[in-house]
Amino acid sequence: MRHVRTITENECNPQPGQGRPRPSLRGTGAPPGTLTAVPQADQTSPESFPGPPRPARVAPVPLAELARRLDADDPGAVLSGAAAEASATGITHDSRAVRPGDIYAALPGARLHGADFVAQAQSLGAVAVLTDPGGTERAAATGLPVLTVPDPRGRMGELAVAIYGEPGRDLLQIGITGTSGKTTTAYLIDGGLRKAAEKDAANAGKALTGLIGTVESRIGDERIKSERTTPEATDLQALFAVMRERGVRSVAMEVSSHALVLGRVDGCVFDIAVFNNLSPEHLDFHPDMEDYFQAKRQLFTPARSRAAVVNFDDEYGFRLLGELTEEGRPATSFSAEGHPDADWRAQDVEIGPLGSTFTAVGPQGQTVPASAPLAGPFNVANALAALTALVAAGIDPYTAAEGIGAVPGVPGRLERVDAGQDYLAIVDYAHKPDAVESVLYAIRKVTEGQVHAVLGCGGDRDPHKRLAMGAALARLSDTAVLTSDNPRSEDPLAILATMLAGAAEVPAYERGTVLVEEDRAAAIAAAVARARPGDSLLVLGKGHEQGQNIAGVVRPFDDKDVLRRAIQERTADGAFAAPSAPTAHSVPSAPHDRTSAAAEKAGTAETPDQADNQNR
């Protein structure tokens, strides 16, 4: 048998109008916990039910039909009584988020099994349980119908699609993957989709767009906080159903390698799949770069997408293009470097301190004036990727370019903080060596004075990049302030020691002054204290995040707010203070012209760099 399925008797699952009513979550609170971010005032989450939004109207789907979808060899053989007549109107993997009529997916975990929480799910109105053989006995003890399969995580996306009526088929879906640039590219694509909707006479400009990603999800203008880059399959399909219900016609979505490996996008077939780039990242999850590439590669199979848009300039992108060509799969290439063999390429690129302009040249020689509304050459690549994806989706290139150029910015991606200071202050999500280097190179090119940068490394995540990140910050900053990021369960000082060792590997004549300050707010204040007119100050690593995870507890912490307060407090103090003398926590550089050295190095860079990344 390919799958094992068991449907138990449903003694504790009365049908509508029978037995005691289902309990309601309205007015009740969930147990306290920690979140990856603290929502802003305009980011909503339903108060009556925890978890992501659900559609208001769902047609009940019989359990018997869902069981048949699980490819059991003998469908319906053990369905009987009330179990055979029961129906589902939702599905969730979180026992706290169960709503009446849900199937509860009890998944095996690293420490606990979801079956340990079946009683809670039942009390909240679950009508059945999806689990593996290890959870069957505990689930069956409640009397609920139990659907047992070897890999419940791999099947819950399929069930969610069926329960919510295949919501993705009514949406134009554009998925973006790669190590860097997913978030920015998703926002730029959303800008193009919005502009196309505005100009669509048939819809009178009323068609809404959707956005799903690391920073947030959006349904039109409604913002919903994100727990991860790509939602779990149950939440994702429910979100698609809500979008369809509210009139959304298209959605731009980040697709992480974790999402592809763990089945979060099961049931999705993207109209366009975008590949930005690939560089070392998440090597605590992937054993090596080949495994990482193969995870991303899944998005470009017939089961996951209909057409591809791929970065010609990236080593792995070039390889992917070759493989797709051999398979006869439709693929469109783009080159920010202007390679003549790419379908879309950038020419006449002009890099500015707040953004860039370029001409996008298409496969038939058409020229489209375009702009990247964010600084840095890597954002030219992101803007060209967005333009190419929109054109591949059937949108007029001039409309696409207009929408991309109108995007006001991306939260936590080269985001300016202006508190009246006479130097540039920026918050960015860069949290891996390539991204740190890219941002610093880009800012060097537009800075007359010195560059001061604050950076930490996350705990319980890929430790191999810490040396390189410390080295990159020391080499490319006049002042490198090493501090905490999200240390999680690790000792922050141990993380800093590794970063400092990386900084120490940089020859003294190549590095700036290195400061070590464990407290992130104090580290930001230390950088602000050194900033002068014409300088640039960067706070890197956390970007849009609004919490800091220390010892498993997430405390509110927003780099933008902390940086703004530090600038305001320094301004209130009056005159500029001279930089502090070296202390036991600082490693001074040898005298040299840091600005000239870095500018010379930046000028020799041959390829556009990428900045923003997915979850650490």
Side-chain angles (χ1 to χ4, degrees):
M1 295 176 61
R2 292 188 310 173
H3 302 286
V4 178
R5 175 181 54 82
T6 305
I7 304 293
T8 61
E9 292 296 332
N10 188 11
E11 299 172 356
C12 301
N13 182 32
Q15 298 300 295
Q18 302 176 9
R20 57 184 176 86
R22 295 289 180 197
S24 172
L25 287 181
R26 297 185 184 277
T28 65
T34 58
L35 301 174
T36 57
V38 179
Q40 295 281 19
D42 61 344
Q43 287 181 320
T44 62
S45 184
E47 295 182 0
S48 57
F49 289 103
R54 300 273 198 97
R57 299 175 297 278
V58 179
V61 181
L63 288 182
E65 178 181 335
L66 296 175
R68 284 192 290 272
R69 285 179 172 264
L70 295 180
D71 292 333
D73 289 317
D74 187 15
V78 294
L79 288 173
S80 61
E85 301 172 1
S87 297
T89 54
I91 180 170
T92 181
H93 61 288
D94 186 345
S95 62
R96 299 164 298 180
V98 168
R99 303 186 186 191
D102 276 1
I103 293 176
Y104 168 53
L107 309 177
R111 295 184 302 238
L112 298 171
H113 197 293
D116 296 328
F117 306 97
V118 171
Q120 180 186 29
Q122 183 183 31
S123 71
L124 295 175
V127 298
V129 180
L130 171 71
T131 191
D132 65 348
T136 299
E137 184 176 350
R138 280 168 285 179
T142 65
L144 290 176
V146 179
L147 293 85
T148 301
V149 294
D151 178 22
R153 177 180 288 279
R155 310 308 298 278
M156 65 183 187
E158 176 186 351
L159 294 187
V161 169
I163 289 170
Y164 296 121
E166 300 184 50
R169 69 182 177 183
D170 297 315
L171 303 171
L172 167 65
Q173 300 178 60
I174 302 178
I176 307 100
T177 198
T179 303
S180 302
K182 292 189 303 299
T183 298
T184 297
T185 304
Y187 273 83
L188 298 179
I189 289 174
D190 180 66
L193 292 173
R194 285 178 175 238
K195 183 59 65 175
E198 289 175 10
K199 293 186 174 184
D200 187 350
N203 294 313
K206 295 181 180 179
L208 300 179
T209 65
L211 177 72
I212 301 173
T214 303
V215 176
E216 63 189 355
S217 293
R218 285 184 177 178
I219 305 174
D221 291 326
E222 179 185 355
R223 303 172 62 207
I224 303 162
K225 69 182 182 68
S226 292
E227 302 293 345
R228 52 177 57 87
T229 297
T230 310
E232 287 286 359
T234 52
D235 297 333
L236 178 60
Q237 295 300 325
L239 186 55
F240 281 166
V242 173
M243 289 181 176
R244 178 181 61 184
E245 193 172 68
R246 298 186 187 177
V248 169
R249 302 291 181 86
S250 58
V251 59
M253 174 179 161
E254 297 179 53
V255 183
S256 67
S257 61
H258 291 68
L260 290 159
V261 171
L262 299 176
R264 293 176 189 162
V265 290
D266 286 357
C268 297
V269 181
F270 293 92
D271 296 282
I272 306 293
V274 181
F275 182 92
N276 275 349
N277 49 69
L278 200 72
S279 60
E281 175 76 320
H282 299 298
L283 297 182
D284 53 340
F285 182 77
H286 301 285
D288 51 40
M289 285 298 293
E290 180 61 23
D291 184 82
Y292 187 24
F293 173 73
Q294 292 301 333
K296 300 286 191 184
R297 180 72 170 82
Q298 293 182 35
L299 185 60
F300 302 88
T301 59
R304 299 286 192 200
S305 63
R306 297 182 176 91
V309 167
V310 183
N311 187 354
F312 188 96
D313 301 328
D314 182 78
E315 174 187 357
Y316 285 95
F318 190 78
R319 170 183 168 182
L320 177 60
L321 282 168
E323 293 178 2
L324 294 175
T325 299
E326 290 179 1
E327 296 171 6
R329 298 266 292 150
T332 306
S333 60
F334 65 92
S335 171
E337 295 180 21
H339 199 289
D341 291 339
D343 295 307
W344 283 89
R345 57 193 184 277
Q347 291 183 351
D348 306 323
V349 179
E350 294 186 8
I351 304 295
L354 303 179
S356 305
T357 61
F358 62 97
T359 299
V361 181
Q364 279 77 48
Q366 65 266 51
T367 58
V368 181
S371 62
L374 298 167
F378 44 85
N379 280 315
V380 174
N382 292 333
L384 186 59
L387 177 64
T388 306
L390 290 163
V391 173
I395 293 173
D396 173 72
Y398 297 95
T399 298
E402 184 182 355
I404 290 169
V407 173
V410 179
R413 272 63 178 175
L414 288 178
E415 187 172 358
R416 296 184 66 192
V417 173
D418 188 353
Q421 77 279 5
D422 47 10
Y423 55 86
L424 182 64
I426 287 177
V427 168
D428 191 81
Y429 192 47
H431 60 265
K432 69 184 187 68
D434 286 353
V436 171
E437 291 179 0
S438 299
V439 171
L440 289 171
Y441 278 140
I443 297 303
R444 274 274 174 210
K445 292 181 178 181
V446 297
T447 301
E448 295 180 359
Q450 295 190 329
V451 174
H452 315 282
V454 179
L455 177 69
C457 288
D460 301 334
R461 299 294 186 272
D462 186 3
H464 307 290
K465 63 185 180 183
R466 295 172 185 172
L467 282 169
M469 289 175 69
L473 201 72
R475 179 178 290 111
L476 297 173
S477 304
D478 295 286
T479 305
V481 187
L482 307 181
T483 188
S484 296
D485 186 278
N486 292 310
R488 299 182 177 89
S489 69
E490 288 195 61
D491 183 347
L493 289 180
I495 299 173
L496 285 170
T498 305
M499 294 185 69
L500 183 60
E505 292 179 355
V506 180
Y509 65 87
E510 289 187 14
R511 70 173 178 246
T513 298
V514 178
L515 308 178
V516 179
E517 172 54 68
E518 178 184 354
D519 182 88
R520 190 172 181 89
I524 292 172
V528 168
R530 302 178 74 90
R532 297 291 181 270
D535 288 357
S536 290
L537 189 157
L538 297 90
V539 179
L540 306 175
K542 291 176 63 60
H544 64 281
E545 293 181 357
Q546 295 162 345
Q548 187 178 27
N549 187 324
I550 302 175
V553 177
V554 177
R555 299 169 174 84
F557 195 101
D558 186 329
D559 278 352
K560 298 187 293 297
D561 290 344
V562 174
L563 177 56
R564 182 176 291 105
R565 284 198 300 270
I567 294 171
Q568 292 170 340
E569 289 172 3
R570 187 193 178 202
T571 301
D573 289 341
F576 291 103
S580 303
T583 67
H585 295 289
S586 68
V587 182
S589 65
H592 67 292
D593 187 349
R594 293 278 304 149
T595 303
S596 298
E600 180 180 354
K601 182 171 291 186
T604 62
E606 297 180 353
T607 61
D609 298 299
Q610 295 77 33
D612 59 321
N613 305 271
Q614 64 184 34
N615 284 342
R616 281 151 292 169

